Amino acid sequence: MTATNTSTKKRFRAVHPFVPWLFVGPAVLLSIATIVAPFIYAVIMSLRGVKVAGGGLGRREEVFVGFANYINAAFNAELWTGFGRMLIVGVITIPITLGLALLFALLLDTPRVRLARFSRIAIFLPYAVPGVIASLMWGFIYLPGVSPIRELAASLGLAQPDFFTRDSIFWSIANINIWGGVGFNMVILYTALRGISSELYDAARVDGCTELQIAWNIKLPLLLPAIVLTALFSLIGTIQLFSEPTTLSPLTDALSSTWVPMMLVYRDTFVAQNLYGGAATSMLVAVLTIAASVLLFWITRRRSAGGLA
C-alpha cells in the first residue's frame, strides 16, 4: 500500500507546476487583452478631461478631473430619459421572449413530437441574422410605401398601422428583439431540459401524470437556473440596446440620437468628440448593468431558498 502511494506521488510530481498555465494561459491573456485592458483604459479616460491653457487661441491639455465627468453624467437628464425608454422596451421584450422560448422548448421536449430538428433550426435561425440586418429588414416591413403589412391592411379595408409613432416605436423595436432572441433562449432552455433524467418523466407517467402536469411540476422547477440565466442575458441585452434604434432612426423622427443610453454614449464619444464624458457615461451604464445582474441573482436565490425552506 505504501509502495502504491509513493508511486502515485511520484506521478503527480512528474507534472511541472507550469503545465496547467499552458492550458488556461491563452484564455487568461485573451481576457486581459479584450476585457480587462479596455475596462481599465475606459476608467482612466473617464477621470480625465481637457483644459485650455495659454494665451491667444490657447493650448488644449489633457488633465486629471477626478469624478467631474461622472457627476455630469449622473445629472444628465438625457441619460435617465434614455433609461426610461430602455426600461419600457425591456418590459415588453423580456417576458414575451422568455415566454415564447420556454413554450417552444417544452413543446420540442414532448415525446413523439414531429419535425423537432427542423423546428429547432427554424426557431433559432433569426438569431443568426446580425442585428443591423434584422433592423433593416424590419425597417422595410414597417416603412410606409413599401410595408406589406400596411398594404394588406389597406386591401382588407382596415386602418393602416403606423409603426413609427412615438408610442408604437417601442413595440416596433421590441418586436425586432423578440424575433431575434427567442431562438437563442429556446436553445438554452431546451438543452437544460435534455439534461434532466428521463427516469423522472417515466416515474411520473407511471403515476398517471399528464404531459402538462410533468411540465408544470417537474420540468419548470428544474429549469429555474436556466430561466434565470436567460433572464440575465435578456436583461444585459436590453441595457445594451443600440443597433435597432440607431438603424431605424433615419426612418422616423420618433428616435432621437440619445433615445437609449448607448446611443447617448455613441453621440458624446464619436459625434461630439467628448471622449472623457462618453467614457464616464459608459462606465456608469456598466456599473448599473452589474448592479441589475447582482440584484436579479439575489432575488432569485432568496426565492429559491424560500421555496426550499
Side-chain angles (χ1 to χ4, degrees):
M1 188 67 175
T2 305
T4 303
N5 291 338
T6 304
S7 176
T8 303
K9 290 179 180 177
K10 286 182 178 179
R11 284 202 299 273
F12 278 113
R13 287 173 182 171
V15 179
H16 194 279
F18 185 71
V19 172
W21 288 101
L22 293 178
F23 291 94
V24 301
V28 172
L29 292 176
L30 186 64
S31 300
I32 292 174
T34 60
I35 299 175
V36 178
F39 183 84
I40 294 175
Y41 182 69
V43 172
I44 295 173
M45 292 289 289
S46 67
L47 298 174
R48 303 190 69 81
V50 172
K51 177 183 177 183
V52 179
L57 297 177
R59 185 177 67 256
R60 292 167 60 88
E61 293 181 350
E62 186 177 293
V63 296
F64 178 77
V65 298
F67 292 98
N69 292 323
Y70 287 96
I71 294 173
N72 293 333
F75 286 96
N76 187 350
E78 289 183 314
L79 175 65
W80 302 112
T81 305
F83 266 113
R85 299 189 187 102
M86 180 203 70
L87 182 62
I88 295 174
V89 175
V91 168
I92 299 171
T93 302
I94 294 176
I96 297 177
T97 301
L98 297 187
L100 290 175
L102 180 61
L103 176 63
F104 290 142
L106 290 172
L107 290 175
L108 291 172
D109 192 55
T110 54
R112 297 184 296 277
V113 65
R114 299 290 185 269
L115 301 175
R117 179 174 297 179
F118 171 79
S119 300
R120 286 200 305 271
I121 295 174
I123 296 171
F124 178 78
L125 198 58
Y127 178 72
V129 179
V132 175
I133 303 299
S135 301
L136 286 172
M137 183 187 71
W138 280 101
F140 284 116
I141 295 176
Y142 295 153
L143 189 65
V146 296
S147 171
I149 299 176
R150 289 173 60 89
E151 291 184 6
L152 178 62
S155 64
L156 295 176
L158 303 174
Q160 294 183 330
D162 189 347
F163 299 101
F164 288 143
T165 66
R166 295 193 181 279
D167 294 328
S168 63
I169 194 65
F170 291 99
W171 293 92
S172 300
I173 291 176
N175 175 62
I176 301 174
N177 292 335
I178 294 168
W179 181 79
V182 169
F184 173 75
N185 292 288
M186 183 271 296
V187 168
I188 294 177
L189 296 175
Y190 179 75
T191 304
L193 279 172
R194 302 304 291 177
I196 299 174
S197 174
S198 61
E199 294 178 355
L200 293 174
Y201 306 150
D202 295 336
R205 293 187 184 104
V206 169
D207 290 339
C209 290
T210 64
E211 292 302 323
L212 184 60
Q213 290 173 323
I214 291 174
W216 182 258
N217 295 313
I218 297 177
K219 294 181 179 180
L220 282 181
L222 294 177
L223 268 182
L224 185 59
I227 293 173
V228 173
L229 182 65
T230 53
L232 178 61
F233 286 158
S234 299
L235 177 64
I236 294 174
T238 301
I239 295 175
Q240 295 176 344
L241 183 65
F242 176 75
S243 60
E244 292 84 358
T246 302
T247 306
L248 295 180
S249 60
L251 306 179
T252 174
D253 294 332
L255 293 169
S256 65
S257 61
T258 59
W259 200 71
V260 287
M262 297 313 297
M263 293 178 70
L264 174 64
V265 172
Y266 179 85
R267 189 206 64 177
D268 288 348
T269 305
F270 298 108
V271 179
Q273 298 293 313
N274 183 8
L275 304 179
Y276 315 102
T281 306
S282 64
M283 294 307 302
L284 195 59
V285 173
V287 170
L288 292 175
T289 303
I290 295 172
S293 303
V294 172
L295 179 64
L296 175 63
F297 272 115
W298 180 73
I299 293 174
T300 306
R301 291 193 62 178
R302 280 184 62 88
R303 289 181 64 87
S304 300
L308 292 174

